[in-house]
Amino acid sequence: MIHHKVTIIGSGPAAHTAAIYLARAEMKPTLYEGMMANGIAAGGQLTTTTDIENFPGFPESLSGSELMERMRKQSAKFGTNIITETVSKVDLSSKPFRLWTEFNEDAEPVTTDAIILATGASAKRMHLPGEETYWQQGISACAVCDGAVPIFRNKPLAVIGGGDSACEEAEFLTKYASKVYILVRKDHFRASVIMQRRIEKNPNIIVLFNTVALEAKGDGKLLNMLRIKNTKSNVENDLEVNGLFYAIGHSPATDIVKGQVDEEETGYIKTVPGSSLTSVPGFFAAGDVQDSRYRQAVTSAGSGCIAALDAERYLSAQE
Amino acid sequence: SSYTSITKLTNLTEFRNLIKQNDKLVIDFYATWCGPCKMMQPHLTKLIQAYPDVRFVKCDVDESPDIAKECEVTAMPTFVLGKDGQLIGKIIGANPTALEKGIKDL
């Protein structure tokens, strides 16, 4: 039977910061980074972004993947046991907690005295009519992953969303596309001023405000059209695009603990403000899985540190 | 051998010849930006060692859009399977189980 003193579930900045702190405190943490857990590569949402320019200490900027590779290396350096398997089931009803990994659900569970949940969040889909047909045939979950495929080269593409990630994806896609439309539901962006300025300056980006997508259309094989509507005038139009990318917000990855711990109405894990404490003692939450508001690499890392310190205090009180 | 040591395709003619010349073939279409593609690399190394009768090659979609176009690659990673000189199937996404099944069926 395998027992871990403290288990971290996740692979982003919150998970690795917690691991670095716990490993340096000689708590021998085990971190399950997952194999495409929640549909995202280990490293989390940062692996789907391009340059990180707002993480302090990296004035030259670096890619999201590179930042995560560095964090992973730092966790491993201090002795974190990193396992590339996805935790698929957790039982918080008794101590020690029990957990199972994907494809081993019938096996004997792993036990652990404390868990830090840092599973993050993943991009939402719209489930438009036609989306099922053209998913991965023009509709993509990840601009950075798929941008280079031939069906997007020198073609018009669309990004839906009004935040920083929509702007960033659009800017990245101009490397390949003939032009990129950003469809914004409201009459203004939610994105930061610096991103808005970049979008304004980019001649290959066209912003359509007050615009929603109604249907994804194509030739049966590949996407080639988007039915759109202006929400002010209610006029509908066809927009010729060969690619569609969503940047419409995120859902927290809480499936493995559903019903076992208190959540906010929005589905995020409820924590005591200013801490990582949840409704279950010994079960801590850090990063985007408990934060619908800030969702930054740096705030996530900070909350990972908080969770490590909370877990350490909890474990030493148990001894 | 491992994932790093397998041939990287850059030339369309070379690619067409390769299909004809191999009984069992796997082509990994990837991009350097692509996280899911990276996740597959250790799995590919295992598969390369477990199936020595299968030829594994890779193709960077950024560098060789012509080859990716010929294979109708629409998302990444995509694994294109070849058998007896012909392309017979495609596995889209970072799914080691599906890829191994595809290789077994070759």
Side-chain angles (χ1 to χ4, degrees):
Chain A
M1 189 148 151
I2 301 168
H3 180 79
H4 306 312
K5 192 171 189 177
V6 52
T7 303
I8 301 157
I9 309 173
S11 64
H16 281 297
T17 306
I20 291 163
Y21 272 77
L22 288 167
R24 284 175 45 84
E26 296 184 349
M27 305 294 276
K28 299 193 171 21
T30 296
L31 181 149
Y32 288 88
E33 66 175 355
M35 174 59 205
M36 295 302 293
N38 214 17
I40 312 178
Q45 292 173 77
L46 281 171
T47 66
T48 69
T49 63
T50 52
D51 286 350
I52 309 297
E53 296 175 333
N54 55 10
F55 201 89
F58 297 92
E60 317 301 335
S61 87
L62 74 178
S63 78
S65 294
E66 206 182 335
L67 179 62
M68 287 324 303
E69 273 164 30
R70 283 167 179 254
M71 288 195 198
R72 189 183 191 278
K73 211 169 162 185
Q74 200 169 348
S75 301
K77 178 183 164 186
F78 293 109
T80 304
N81 173 25
I82 301 175
I83 301 176
T84 312
E85 286 178 46
T86 303
V87 173
S88 55
K89 204 166 108 184
V90 170
D91 181 1
L92 304 177
S93 65
S94 59
K95 296 281 174 63
F97 300 137
R98 299 185 298 161
L99 56 93
W100 292 261
T101 56
E102 202 176 25
F103 312 120
N104 301 306
E105 283 89 350
D106 299 325
E108 196 179 345
V110 168
T111 57
T112 185
D113 295 325
I115 294 177
I116 295 175
L117 188 76
T119 44
S122 59
K124 279 186 195 163
R125 282 168 63 169
M126 286 185 86
H127 302 289
L128 291 174
E131 184 173 314
E132 242 11 89
T133 312
Y134 299 111
W135 186 252
Q136 293 195 318
Q137 307 293 328
I139 308 179
S140 166
C142 174
V144 173
C145 305
D146 294 334
V149 302
I151 54 169
F152 301 142
R153 296 249 171 174
N154 303 312
K155 299 281 170 55
L157 309 176
V159 176
I160 301 180
D164 273 348
S165 46
C167 296
E168 195 204 315
E169 290 195 2
E171 196 183 30
F172 176 76
L173 288 168
T174 56
K175 275 172 56 129
Y176 303 102
S178 56
K179 63 183 150 198
V180 180
Y181 298 98
I182 305 180
L183 276 55
V184 187
R185 190 163 41 91
K186 296 185 179 164
D187 62 2
H188 60 273
F189 273 116
R190 198 163 31 80
S192 60
V193 175
I194 184 167
M195 280 314 297
Q196 291 188 43
R197 292 279 173 278
R198 276 195 219 166
I199 295 307
E200 282 162 17
K201 274 192 211 144
N202 193 319
N204 295 320
I205 296 178
I206 300 160
V207 183
L208 304 173
F209 288 111
N210 303 307
T211 303
V212 292
L214 300 176
E215 187 185 353
K217 301 199 273 189
D219 60 6
K221 209 172 165 192
L222 294 174
L223 175 89
N224 60 26
M225 197 87 81
L226 204 56
R227 187 76 181 163
I228 58 169
K229 188 173 94 170
N230 184 301
T231 54
K232 281 262 163 73
S233 63
N234 282 323
V235 174
E236 290 187 18
N237 268 311
D238 281 330
L239 186 67
E240 257 182 62
V241 289
N242 297 81
L244 172 63
F245 301 83
Y246 290 141
I248 50 164
H250 299 86
S251 313
T254 57
D255 284 354
I256 54 172
V257 293
K258 267 278 178 279
Q260 303 188 65
V261 59
D262 289 355
E263 289 177 0
E264 305 282 355
E265 275 169 28
T266 48
Y268 288 78
I269 303 286
K270 204 172 196 168
T271 49
V272 175
S275 82
S276 67
L277 309 183
T278 69
S279 59
V280 179
F283 181 81
F284 307 90
D288 284 10
V289 76
Q290 53 85 55
D291 172 18
S292 59
R293 189 166 177 184
Y294 301 105
R295 303 180 17 250
Q296 301 300 302
V298 68
T299 52
S300 193
S303 80
C305 166
I306 289 171
L309 299 178
D310 286 341
E312 199 185 333
R313 190 170 308 141
Y314 169 81
L315 287 168
S316 53
Q318 301 290 302
E319 273 165 11
Chain B
S1 60
S2 71
Y3 181 77
T4 37
S5 64
I6 61 173
T7 307
K8 182 158 109 179
L9 291 177
T10 50
N11 177 295
L12 194 58
T13 316
E14 178 195 8
F15 157 77
R16 287 175 181 152
N17 289 335
L18 193 90
I19 300 167
K20 288 183 211 145
Q21 289 157 1
N22 286 278
D23 292 340
K24 295 180 178 189
L25 177 70
V26 176
I27 310 167
D28 167 29
F29 285 94
Y30 71 98
T32 51
W33 302 93
C34 164
C37 302
K38 277 189 203 129
M39 290 299 290
M40 286 303 286
Q41 292 176 7
H43 293 276
L44 282 160
T45 293
K46 277 186 208 157
L47 292 169
I48 290 162
Q49 283 156 8
Y51 298 91
D53 58 328
V54 179
R55 178 82 192 271
F56 288 82
V57 294
K58 57 192 170 189
C59 178
D60 182 332
V61 170
D62 249 319
E63 286 175 12
S64 310
D66 50 346
I67 304 174
K69 192 170 183 182
E70 187 140 314
C71 286
E72 298 180 325
V73 173
T74 59
M76 279 186 286
T78 289
F79 301 93
V80 172
L81 305 175
K83 190 185 164 114
D84 300 331
Q86 294 201 327
L87 297 182
I88 56 151
K90 203 188 272 181
I91 291 153
I92 301 177
N95 185 338
T97 318
L99 178 60
E100 179 151 20
K101 193 183 173 300
I103 291 170
K104 268 189 189 152
D105 292 346
L106 280 177

